[in-house]
Amino acid sequence: MLTWTQRRTAMATLEARTCGVDKVVDAHPFQRKVQLVLPNHRDGEEAKWKDALGDETPFYVRVEASPSALVQPDVVHGHVQNRSNQFAALQLEKNLDKDDVCALSTDGVLYVAVCERSYRTFGIVGRKSRLKKRKRYLVRVDLRGKKFLPGRRYRERVAQRLERGLGRGVFACASVGSDGRSQEVRFSPFSEVLQQKKYMEPEYQCKEMPTPDLKVWEKHWDHENLRLLHEWMGAAACRVSTPEALFPKEWEQSQVGTLEWNGFLLPAHVKHCVQMAKGAVDSGRYPWIGINIWGCTDAPISWGGAERGRGLAGEHHTSIISLPGSDAIVFRAAGRHDLFGK
């Protein structure tokens, strides 16, 4: 699989390396939208996708609660330490550049990004921001670590600090099984949690636009071809009104379908979409399929748990091209201030 990471610096450079698609998807815990891009789309395909999706609609839970609810035993033992499922939570309605933001990643680590003033009274040691001219700190608490075993007092200390330091907030929470299906989220009855289930109904659209023939490029993936493919994925995602003016005249027109989910999506959701796309390509229904992934705007971490900043870096977008067999191409766009985890 070819991974192409473009870093927007004063002089843009490109890096290509080999790695697995699942590894790339797992490295980014919080997504707000996933979209399948279906080239050479034919009549009757919409019904086939509806059959493949079934009757179960993915969902997340919008929660109003104190961040301390995330470290209560019901959540820690029932969700976080249950490795058969994925669980994550992200604080909403916050600006990462100036507000205190709390998030629980799929690897069981609680991240709290706070300003310098809040950090002085927070009481849990963190790390100063690696981004220049930024007086912020990132606190990291491993909820799967030994300190969170039953009977340890450290959990109570963390809960107390979250309660006093951050107050109540609004969170998106999601739990996903190994089969990619959403699971119910359960909190302690003593946590004073207000929950509202949000279903992520798939949205389907179709548009005619010039489409690249990747078979022509398969033996010659140069910089220009990859750039054109990346721009085409962006044009399909945005449904530009006149795509004919953007791409080579020799590209043939075809119907391009899009199937997307909006809300709060975890890596397990994304991998399920990738598997559906791969199945459709390998069966011969499509020559290839693209998957566009939008990261959450104000998440305190990005790739591999590395710090990120909203104003400096923007959102993390990923595009995956599923090809026949085991081949795939992955685009990851990043700004010059983005920090990639190890």
Side-chain angles (χ1 to χ4, degrees), residues 120-163:
R120 290 174 182 171
T121 59
F122 195 60
I124 301 176
V125 177
R127 185 176 66 183
K128 189 174 182 180
S129 173
R130 292 167 59 191
L131 302 177
K132 295 180 180 179
K133 299 181 181 180
R134 195 176 189 198
K135 295 182 179 180
R136 292 183 65 83
Y137 290 80
L138 185 64
V139 178
R140 181 182 185 277
V141 180
D142 186 2
L143 304 191
R144 292 177 178 170
K146 294 182 179 180
K147 290 183 178 181
F148 265 79
L149 291 173
R152 298 292 182 94
R153 298 188 64 181
Y154 183 67
R155 186 201 63 78
E156 296 179 7
R157 179 190 170 197
V158 172
Q160 187 180 65
R161 298 299 182 182
L162 291 171
E163 185 86 35

Side-chain angles (χ1 to χ4, degrees), residues 59-126:
F59 65 87
Y60 69 98
V61 179
R62 183 181 173 90
V63 174
E64 183 181 336
S66 165
S68 62
L70 298 176
V71 300
Q72 297 303 322
D74 299 65
V75 174
V76 173
H77 305 314
H79 292 294
V80 179
Q81 295 179 355
N82 178 10
R83 298 181 186 238
S84 62
N85 293 347
Q86 275 192 351
F87 178 79
L90 175 65
Q91 194 164 8
L92 305 177
E93 302 174 359
K94 293 287 185 178
N95 186 316
L96 185 60
D97 291 331
K98 61 182 181 180
D99 296 327
D100 299 334
V101 183
C102 181
L104 176 56
S105 181
T106 51
D107 61 359
V109 177
L110 182 73
Y111 294 91
V112 186
V114 294
C115 64
E116 187 175 32
R117 181 178 179 181
S118 298
Y119 181 72
R120 290 174 182 171
T121 59
F122 195 60
I124 301 176
V125 177

Side-chain angles (χ1 to χ4, degrees), residues 278 281-282 322-327:
K278 178 174 172 49
V281 172
D282 289 344
S322 181
L323 301 169
S326 59
D327 292 334

Side-chain angles (χ1 to χ4, degrees), residues 165-189:
L166 300 183
R168 290 179 68 84
V170 178
F171 294 83
C173 302
S175 178
V176 187
S178 57
D179 58 357
R181 296 181 178 181
S182 299
Q183 308 290 325
E184 296 293 336
V185 178
R186 295 178 175 83
F187 288 89
S188 168

Side-chain angles (χ1 to χ4, degrees), residues 48 86 91 137 222 232 298 326 337:
K48 292 181 180 179
Q86 275 192 351
Q91 194 164 8
Y137 290 80
D222 61 12
W232 185 89
D298 291 297
S326 59
H337 293 287

